[in-house]
Amino acid sequence: MATYNVYMCQYSRERYHHYEGETTRHHEIVVVTSTGKGSKKGTAFHVSGAPGSWKFEVVPETQFMNMSYCGRLALGTIPGTKSALDGLECFLRTVPIGNNDPRFNCQRWVWDAAVRMRDYGYHVDPPATFQEYLSKMHTKAYADWNSCTDSD
């Protein structure tokens, strides 16, 4: 059976500038659904907004490796079917959004969602702690960006 790869992706908030020490990157979970010639597309799941007004969003058929893309960590796989993708969306909609927590952000939501996916039985392997997640994403951003490689 075909599978879709699932990633934890990060993006610079400065569209064309990636600089060391940037800690406010946007994070999201991306399921790669198409790997056509020269273009990878997927469905992105993330939260956006600001403290007190975060909301869950789904962005289907997005070309996620865009100009603000800064790297990714492989999370795992799901079955390569529309029903599995729809099921993941339904599951991710249940991940709590910390609108009353001033420390909450998209980075924390992605890590929490990945841990909940693992605990629920998805074939994913997130970093053990939030700090380990941030450290790995930081390393991926600079190692991959500087060497023009990626986590595949």
Side-chain angles (χ1 to χ4, degrees):
M1 172 184 268
T3 59
Y4 290 147
N5 290 327
V6 182
Y7 296 96
M8 302 162 102
C9 296
Q10 63 186 331
Y11 301 86
S12 175
R13 294 199 187 274
E14 300 292 329
R15 186 161 177 82
Y16 301 106
H17 304 285
H18 306 275
Y19 55 91
E20 194 145 358
E22 181 182 23
T23 59
T24 61
R25 287 199 174 93
H26 178 68
H27 290 204
E28 61 189 21
I29 292 175
V30 174
V31 178
V32 178
T33 57
S34 170
T35 57
K37 196 172 192 175
S39 166
K40 290 184 180 182
K41 289 188 177 182
T43 299
F45 303 96
H46 67 134
V47 295
S48 66
S53 65
W54 295 104
K55 63 182 179 180
F56 175 79
E57 294 181 342
V58 179
V59 184
E61 292 300 309
T62 184
Q63 191 162 352
F64 67 96
M65 294 175 85
N66 57 39
M67 291 302 294
S68 59
Y69 173 80
C70 295
R72 63 188 174 176
L73 286 177
L75 184 57
T77 61
I78 64 169
T81 65
K82 181 173 178 357
S83 62
L85 190 62
D86 291 346
L88 178 60
E89 177 182 338
C90 287
F91 177 79
L92 291 174
R93 287 184 181 281
T94 70
V95 175
I97 295 175
N99 275 319
N100 295 323
D101 180 354
R103 297 171 301 151
F104 181 82
N105 59 25
C106 60
Q107 298 169 358
R108 191 164 293 276
W109 183 87
V110 165
W111 180 76
D112 187 37
V115 168
R116 288 171 184 267
M117 288 172 65
R118 180 201 61 210
D119 293 348
Y120 192 75
Y122 280 93
H123 297 282
V124 297
D125 187 23
T129 67
F130 182 62
Q131 287 306 318
E132 180 185 346
Y133 166 61
L134 292 179
S135 177
K136 285 185 175 190
M137 288 299 265
H138 181 80
T139 299
K140 279 310 242 181
Y142 298 110
D144 293 348
W145 185 256
N146 291 331
S147 66
C148 298
T149 62
D150 211 338
S151 63
D152 279 345

